[in-house]
Amino acid sequence: MTETAAPSASAPVSEADPFSAPHLAHPGPLHQQLREAGPVVRLSRYDVHALARYREVHTALVDWQTFQSGAGVGLADFRHERPWRPPSLLLEADPPHHDAPRRVLRDILAPLSLRRLGQRWQEAADHLVGTVLAERGTEFDAFDALASAYPLQVFPDAVGLGPHGRENLLPYGNMAFNAFGPRNDLVDADAHRVGKLSAWVNAQCTREALSEDGFGTRIWAAADRGDLTPAQAPLVVRSLLTAGVDTTVHGLAAALYAFATHPGEWQRLRERPELARVAFDEAVRRQSPVQTFFRTATTDVDIAGTRIPQGSKILLFLGSANRDPARWTDPDRFDLTRDPSGHVGFGMGIHQCVGQHVARLEAECLLTALARRVAHLELAGEPRRHLNNTLRSWASLPVRVRPTT
Ligand code: Z7Z
């Protein structure tokens, strides 16, 4: 994105609050309105600029020099406000500080490093699906029984967490993802347990708390090699625990919801289970479990003719970019024949989700297991949303299934 001296128009203004309950529950209409209003819109409510079109969101994501993360990727500006916890060394950092922690996690979570988990995770998924069908029958809540049960079973083990307190993981993530938004009632609702949840998570990040062969211990080994400082290691473990659970849970739920409402696509997956990965990415594109985050302008910057002043926060609507009709044909359709690559549901550029291969592996295992045992899948009631300032999340997803014979 270039700086220009040319006079620039001021952006159209919207008074909408994207973090209000109605817009969080049904973001589509606001997204369309913002995309149609222009490439840049000013949100008067928060005094920030917003990008809702694919082209501008993508451009901002790949230009980390102009759109920094170090001032926080939430509404709060870390240059003036004290963050609720010590900033993430990956997410809330820019090069060069960002790079060493990123390299360490990139190697630990690389597809090749995950290969040895594949077989165990597939067995776990087959076992879980078998148990759910045997114990719960043909109608159950797919959010509890599958989308949250599966990651909570395999991921904490892979990190190397002990058996106690795992029920804190989802509430901690819910709190962290709410904290990127404004200080609204969603944030206040968790205020009383910030201390307790943070204390538990921080205690899991020490070398002693982690089992010998997990991701966590490999992070500490990187510190022993000198690739990280000993002070950085626990914060990198904390990143896994913050960003690795809720995101995959709601991503899996997005995929299950999409299939429960698109029986033809379920048949396609049953015929070609190797589509599981692309199906997950298509569900992530269409639902965008991570809806939004912010960047901060490091300089006065011109976006499509609008001047954004240095230091302003810029809200990126990933979920809107992923359904921008200028980029996607028939964007609201869940379509396994589409190529969803290029979606920004995992971000883009140097901060693009470092755990995406973990998420895809979880999805592949769970969807494959389900496709082996379930011939038909449909909603058995109205799914309920759980509101979060950042995540498009669920409270329940009642389904009815017809097992294979
Ligand atoms: O490092 C971290 O603690 C961390 C927390 C949240 C990393 C990433 C995220 C995140 C992921 C934030 C997706 C927004 C969207």
Side-chain angles (χ1 to χ4, degrees), residues 37-66:
V40 182
V41 180
R42 205 169 70 77
L43 298 179
S44 54
R45 168 96 189 196
Y46 297 110
D47 196 22
V48 299
H49 287 84
L51 310 178
R53 296 183 181 176
Y54 180 87
R55 184 190 172 89
E56 280 73 30
V57 168
H58 186 277
T59 306
L61 284 173
V62 296
D63 183 358
W64 57 265
Q65 290 93 339
T66 310

Side-chain angles (χ1 to χ4, degrees), residues 237-275:
V237 179
R238 193 193 67 179
S239 286
L240 290 180
L241 301 183
T242 312
V245 189
D246 300 63
T247 48
T248 46
V249 164
H250 297 298
L252 292 175
L256 295 173
Y257 172 70
F259 280 120
T261 49
H262 293 76
E265 299 308 282
W266 183 250
Q267 287 323 313
R268 210 195 289 274
L269 177 72
R270 297 243 308 134
E271 283 154 27
R272 294 186 53 202
E274 69 278 9
L275 289 174

Side-chain angles (χ1 to χ4, degrees), residues 86-100:
S88 161
L89 301 179
L90 290 110
L91 178 76
E92 293 151 336
D94 300 299
H97 312 288
H98 157 271
D99 301 340

Side-chain angles (χ1 to χ4, degrees), residues 73 85 88 90-91 177 180 238-239 242-243 247 290 292-293 390:
V73 305
R85 62 175 197 171
S88 161
L90 290 110
L91 178 76
F177 282 95
F180 295 119
R238 193 193 67 179
S239 286
T242 312
T247 48
V290 174
T292 46
F293 49 68
T390 303

Side-chain angles (χ1 to χ4, degrees), residues 37-341:
V40 182
V41 180
R42 205 169 70 77
L43 298 179
S44 54
R45 168 96 189 196
Y46 297 110
D47 196 22
V48 299
H49 287 84
L51 310 178
R53 296 183 181 176
Y54 180 87
R55 184 190 172 89
E56 280 73 30
V57 168
H58 186 277
T59 306
L61 284 173
V62 296
D63 183 358
W64 57 265
Q65 290 93 339
T66 310
F67 301 98
Q68 66 159 152
S69 294
V73 305
L75 179 61
D77 186 334
F78 292 179
R79 294 165 311 167
H80 311 297
E81 293 166 68
R82 198 180 137 84
W84 70 279
R85 62 175 197 171
S88 161
L89 301 179
L90 290 110
L91 178 76
E92 293 151 336
D94 300 299
H97 312 288
H98 157 271
D99 301 340
R102 169 80 189 196
R103 265 195 302 273
V104 166
L105 265 196
R106 181 199 62 196
D107 291 349
I108 293 172
L109 305 179
L112 210 63
S113 319
L114 301 179
R115 264 217 318 230
R116 53 176 208 96
L117 288 172
Q119 196 184 344
R120 205 179 324 149
W121 282 15
Q122 188 62 62
E123 285 165 11
D126 288 326
H127 183 74
L128 176 67
V129 169
T131 309
V132 168
L133 294 177
E135 292 178 0
R136 305 209 194 195
T138 55
E139 274 193 36
F140 52 85
D141 186 337
F143 179 74
D144 289 338
L146 299 172
S148 64
Y150 183 64
L152 280 175
Q153 192 179 328
V154 297
F155 185 72
D157 283 347
V159 174
L161 294 192
H164 302 298
R166 292 176 174 200
E167 69 281 2
N168 292 315
L169 285 167
L170 282 175
Y172 181 80
N174 183 58
M175 193 173 80
F177 282 95
N178 271 330
F180 295 119
R183 174 97 209 238
N184 56 15
D185 52 347
L186 294 172
V187 173
D188 288 339
D190 276 334
H192 68 283
R193 53 178 182 170
V194 177
K196 181 178 159 277
L197 291 170
S198 301
W200 181 81
V201 163
N202 294 339
Q204 309 315 306
C205 299
T206 62
R207 190 196 288 269
E208 301 69 39
L210 295 157
S211 75
E212 248 161 56
D213 60 346
F215 300 147
T217 288
R218 265 172 265 165
I219 291 169
W220 277 99
D224 293 339
R225 285 196 304 274
D227 294 345
L228 292 175
T229 68
Q232 287 178 313
L235 283 170
V236 176
V237 179
R238 193 193 67 179
S239 286
L240 290 180
L241 301 183
T242 312
V245 189
D246 300 63
T247 48
T248 46
V249 164
H250 297 298
L252 292 175
L256 295 173
Y257 172 70
F259 280 120
T261 49
H262 293 76
E265 299 308 282
W266 183 250
Q267 287 323 313
R268 210 195 289 274
L269 177 72
R270 297 243 308 134
E271 283 154 27
R272 294 186 53 202
E274 69 278 9
L275 289 174
R277 273 178 182 253
V278 84
F280 180 60
D281 268 87
E282 169 65 350
V284 169
R285 178 197 69 79
R286 182 166 174 273
Q287 189 75 209
S288 301
V290 174
Q291 284 278 302
T292 46
F293 49 68
F294 293 79
R295 294 288 190 251
T296 308
T298 55
T299 173
D300 289 349
V301 56
D302 199 89
I303 303 181
T306 299
R307 172 61 53 96
I308 298 183
Q310 173 182 10
S312 4
K313 285 273 174 177
I314 301 151
L315 177 52
L316 310 184
F317 283 93
L318 309 181
S320 171
N322 281 340
R323 290 198 189 207
D324 182 348
R327 169 63 180 80
W328 309 97
T329 310
D330 209 354
D332 297 338
R333 254 174 70 98
F334 176 64
D335 179 358
L336 297 200
T337 66
R338 165 200 317 277
D339 175 7
S341 60

